[in-house]
Amino acid sequence: MASISDEKLQELRDRVDLVAVVQRRVPLKKSGHDWKGLCPFHGEKTSSFYVVPDKKMFHCFGCGVSGDAIKFVMQMEGRSFRDAVEQLANEAGVDLTPPDPEEARRSARRASLGEVNEKACTFYERVLWEHPKGEIAREHLRQRGITEDTARAWRLGYAPNLWDSLIKSHALKGVDLRLVEEAGLGVPRKKGQGLYDRFRGRLTIPIRESGRIVGFGGRLLEGQSEAKYLNSPDTALYQKGHTLFALDRARETIRREGVALFVEGYFDAIGLHQAGVLTAIATCGTALTDKHLELVTEAGARELVFVFDGDAAGMRAAQRASEIAAAQGAPARVLVPPGGEDPDETVLRVGVQGFREMLASAQPSLEFLLDRALGQLPEGAPVEARVRAVDAVKGIVRAAPSSLARDLYVEKVAEKVGAPVEAIARALAGKASVLAPKTAASREAEPGKPLPHSVLKAELVILAALVRNPGLAPDLAHSGAVGEFVHPSLRDAADAVCSGADPQSALRAVEPDSLRQRLLDAVGEMEQAGDHTDAKRLSSLVRKHAQTVALERKQRPLPRVPRA
């Protein structure tokens, strides 16, 4: 926690009475120097839960859970780290105000950003429920099966399709516009002074963390934009890679059930919660990160389930998520809803019990990865291709949770490549790293291998034009330019659109976040400039890209970043 120093946290741990904290929630009896009782975190009839005052820690010899007072309150009450610290500090009389004036200033700034977000949320809510312009959003919620009670509980709202309705609203009267811009709610005008609203014509979804609104997601309902979903930018209060939507609501159930259910979208999570599946959470317009896994592990998740769409983008997201989970050694499974449904549609169709049965039969993520890897090997593949396929699955097989699972995976590989089981077992027994593939972000940052700005810009412009006008896909495919793209994520996105994929799905799959944002910015700039690229203009962009790549390769070795 950046806003609370390590010294303050240690002072809190030293001053808090752990026995008193636990006894208010769990009956304890003295046992020598320690105290014991029935563990509140798992069902038991014989006391195996101990509080050790001298060490200021608790431990259960039954389920193995242990920690200090902060962790106890977090797990017992499903609170975030910040909430638990603030509650205990209030009880123990510990002042958490940072002694460092600069840190105190940053903490106050974050609090101010949270207050601005709260004012904006109230404005969006009033438009949704009290203004005629909110009818389009109310109708959209009815069509999605979101009840009014659910919408009000999640504080959904509507940003009118006007340039500056929020900026000029009474809700922000007297608020410093620099703070509004810093919160990501306003964008500087290109001509003249002042701001215009970031969210326009969008159903707004507040993103909460540590008891306050840190950002928003916005679903397009009116107006023209290439981005169906728009998210708040990273701020001093909000980082997409460190935030999970609905975790504040799901934390207690995740702790109790030990399972975290990852879905792709905000409404997937909201719909599942409405149906009674209370462990659903979602990333905020970004791919799964190690930090996301850390968050759910801290919340008490012992297993992960990825429920992503069945389209190409969803399958790639499931593969990336499974790889990250495997690299972290986190048990995980994958469920792909049938018929291309979204999870919230599936739960409405089959009911919560039927959905839980589907979750129970979800495929283990390592098996999912194995199927994905072997599924790319065609019948009658040459020997070289089969050898490469075996090499590609070494990490997957070695990550198997048991020797039996590993043997079964070996048999599956042997059957697919048409080789004896013993030969495959020998080939897979060699040393192999466990599924820690480099991401596009890490490859891009490799020392000595920067991607030239001119090449990256040319590829962003071509892809932005393709997103704005998917009808150009056949022309781009015919040109062969996609094969010359240097950045793998942009290459994959362009290839997906040329193969008939939805441009928005392809755009959402672009990684890292910073690159996706640059692509969105390029699309937005074209949109504001009224640019309508046609086949002739595309041909010019393709020629410019080819010339740029050729020039860079003459001047220096140009990194041809391989696909993940």
Side-chain angles (χ1 to χ4, degrees):
M1 288 184 59
S3 61
I4 301 179
S5 67
D6 291 340
E7 292 80 8
K8 284 292 182 182
L9 289 174
Q10 189 57 51
E11 179 186 352
L12 175 63
R13 293 184 177 103
D14 290 341
R15 288 178 56 177
V16 73
D17 185 343
L18 178 58
V19 174
V21 169
V22 175
Q23 269 190 323
R24 285 198 293 271
R25 301 160 176 87
V26 179
L28 296 177
K29 291 183 179 180
K30 198 78 166 65
S31 177
H33 292 295
D34 304 330
W35 296 74
K36 70 176 182 179
L38 296 176
C39 180
F41 304 118
H42 81 287
E44 64 175 7
K45 297 182 179 180
T46 302
S47 298
S48 58
F49 179 83
Y50 283 77
V51 177
V52 186
D54 292 345
K55 296 183 178 180
K56 292 189 175 295
M57 66 169 289
F58 68 88
H59 179 76
C60 176
F61 290 94
C63 65
V65 65
S66 64
D68 58 11
I70 299 172
K71 184 172 181 180
F72 180 81
V73 173
M74 287 175 64
Q75 295 200 226
M76 189 67 186
E77 300 185 3
R79 292 180 178 271
S80 68
F81 184 73
R82 176 185 291 275
D83 289 344
V85 167
E86 290 179 348
Q87 176 183 316
L88 290 169
N90 185 53
E91 294 173 357
V94 176
D95 182 7
L96 296 177
T97 305
D100 177 9
E102 180 60 25
E103 182 53 45
R105 186 193 65 78
R106 288 195 293 267
S107 181
R109 193 68 171 178
R110 286 191 287 270
S112 297
L113 292 174
E115 291 172 5
V116 173
N117 285 335
E118 178 64 33
K119 292 177 185 293
C121 184
T122 300
F123 170 78
Y124 295 143
E125 286 180 295
R126 292 190 63 182
V127 174
L128 174 62
W129 301 114
E130 301 174 16
H131 199 282
K133 289 187 178 296
E135 175 56 31
I136 187 172
R138 295 193 292 270
E139 177 58 27
H140 180 80
L141 291 173
R142 286 192 289 267
Q143 291 178 358
R144 293 197 73 125
I146 302 296
T147 67
E148 181 174 336
D149 286 346
T150 296
R152 288 186 182 275
W154 289 78
R155 301 193 65 186
L156 304 184
Y158 186 64
N161 189 31
L162 302 170
W163 280 101
D164 50 12
S165 61
L166 173 64
I167 300 299
K168 291 184 176 179
S169 70
H170 185 73
L172 295 187
K173 186 176 180 180
V175 176
D176 188 342
L177 288 183
R178 289 173 297 182
L179 200 60
V180 177
E181 180 183 352
E182 189 178 342
L185 295 166
V187 181
R189 295 180 182 273
K190 291 186 179 295
K191 294 182 179 179
Q193 296 183 337
L195 306 175
Y196 63 86
D197 293 353
R198 177 179 297 275
F199 297 100
R200 305 184 305 279
R202 294 180 182 272
L203 183 64
T204 57
I205 306 105
I207 301 165
R208 297 181 62 85
E209 187 179 61
S210 300
R212 61 188 174 190
I213 298 171
V214 297
F216 294 88
R219 203 282 189 196
L220 184 69
L221 297 183
E222 283 187 284
Q224 298 295 317
S225 175
E226 301 300 334
K228 182 164 71 172
Y229 279 91
L230 184 66
N231 298 285
S232 293
D234 282 0
T235 69
L237 187 62
Y238 170 59
Q239 290 180 289
K240 289 187 281 290
H242 291 191
T243 306
L244 286 169
F245 177 71
L247 181 58
D248 61 318
R249 292 172 175 270
R251 183 177 277 107
E252 184 175 351
T253 310
I254 289 174
R255 177 186 62 78
R256 188 169 61 249
E257 298 184 5
V259 177
L261 181 62
F262 280 91
V263 294
E264 284 191 87
Y266 301 121
F267 282 103
D268 293 331
I270 293 172
L272 288 176
H273 275 261
Q274 177 177 275
V277 182
L278 305 181
T279 56
I281 52 179
T283 58
C284 301
T286 184
L288 188 75
T289 66
D290 291 341
K291 180 61 179 179
H292 291 143
L293 292 192
E294 182 182 326
L295 288 173
V296 295
T297 301
E298 289 176 351
R302 299 184 297 277
E303 183 182 31
L304 315 175
V305 181
F306 303 120
V307 188
F308 294 158
D309 298 345
D311 59 13
M315 296 297 280
R316 286 196 297 271
Q319 179 170 338
R320 286 194 299 270
S322 297
E323 289 170 346
I324 291 174
Q328 295 292 322
R333 291 178 288 130
V334 177
L335 172 65
V336 179
E341 290 179 328
D342 289 340
D344 57 330
E345 295 173 331
T346 302
V347 76
L348 282 175
R349 179 175 58 82
V350 304
V352 65
Q353 185 57 39
F355 190 78
R356 290 185 183 280
E357 291 172 0
M358 293 174 66
L359 289 175
S361 61
Q363 185 179 29
S365 61
L366 289 177
E367 188 176 327
F368 169 81
L369 288 173
L370 195 63
D371 286 346
R372 289 274 290 171
L374 296 177
Q376 300 173 10
L377 187 68
E379 285 289 334
V383 171
E384 293 81 1
R386 289 187 285 167
V387 170
R388 285 196 299 270
V390 173
D391 287 338
V393 300
K394 277 185 179 180
I396 302 172
V397 174
R398 288 174 62 85
S402 67
S403 58
L404 175 59
R406 190 158 48 250
D407 291 343
L408 293 175
Y409 286 171
V410 168
E411 289 181 8
K412 191 169 189 175
V413 176
E415 180 182 357
K416 180 64 179 179
V417 302
V421 172
E422 295 77 10
I424 297 299
R426 287 195 301 272
L428 295 176
K431 186 177 181 181
S433 60
V434 180
L435 288 172
K438 292 181 180 178
T439 63
S442 63
R443 286 192 297 258
E444 196 174 13
E446 282 183 356
K449 293 188 178 182
L451 195 60
H453 174 74
S454 56
V455 174
L456 183 59
K457 183 177 180 181
E459 293 177 3
L460 284 168
V461 170
I462 291 175
L463 187 52
L466 189 62
V467 169
R468 279 182 50 76
N469 183 6
L472 295 173
D475 297 282
L476 183 61
H478 182 70
S479 72
V482 175
E484 290 300 311
F485 270 39
V486 177
H487 198 289
S489 191
L490 297 181
R491 185 167 68 245
D492 286 346
D495 186 49
V497 178
C498 287
S499 300
D502 173 44
Q504 294 303 322
S505 297
L507 191 152
R508 289 197 299 272
V510 171
E511 292 185 324
D513 292 346
S514 57
L515 183 66
R516 187 188 313 115
Q517 189 59 53
R518 290 185 65 176
L519 178 57
L520 285 169
D521 291 342
V523 171
E525 288 173 6
M526 285 186 171
E527 184 178 315
Q528 291 184 355
D531 179 90
H532 297 288
T533 302
D534 56 13
K536 184 176 180 181
R537 165 71 173 153
L538 177 67
S539 178
S540 175
L541 293 174
V542 166
R543 285 197 302 273
K544 182 178 179 180
H545 174 257
Q547 292 166 359
T548 303
V549 171
L551 180 61
E552 289 289 347
R553 283 185 173 141
K554 282 183 180 179
Q555 293 178 347
R556 56 178 171 171
L558 186 62
R560 171 65 173 183
V561 189
R563 295 176 187 269

